[in-house]
Amino acid sequence: MRKCFTAFEMYFMQGMDYAEIAEELNTGKNTPRRWVTGIINELSVLLWGIDEERVK
């Protein structure tokens, strides 16, 4: 499984915060937040047809 999906699962399913995820996955402190935000943006387009780039 890719690290971004693992971070997403850890954040939403396991209730871990970004610092814990960064430590667990051995990444920078801001990387898990960027990964989770990216997946949320992708899911928003799939679920509701909302594309952040089109809204701007």
Side-chain angles (χ1 to χ4, degrees):
M1 183 180 278
R2 291 180 17 190
K3 284 187 177 183
C4 57
F5 294 113
T6 302
F8 183 79
E9 179 190 5
M10 293 169 116
Y11 185 75
F12 283 103
M13 304 302 178
Q14 298 177 20
M16 297 174 74
D17 63 23
Y18 293 121
E20 293 172 324
I21 296 169
E23 185 175 324
E24 183 76 24
L25 297 180
N26 195 29
T27 65
K29 66 177 184 172
N30 294 324
T31 303
R33 180 183 308 271
R34 205 169 52 244
W35 286 340
V36 170
T37 301
I39 291 176
I40 290 171
N41 289 340
E42 288 181 31
L43 288 174
S44 295
V45 172
L46 292 173
L47 293 173
W48 297 288
I50 299 171
D51 187 358
E52 185 177 301
E53 294 300 318
R54 288 188 298 185
V55 174
K56 290 181 181 179

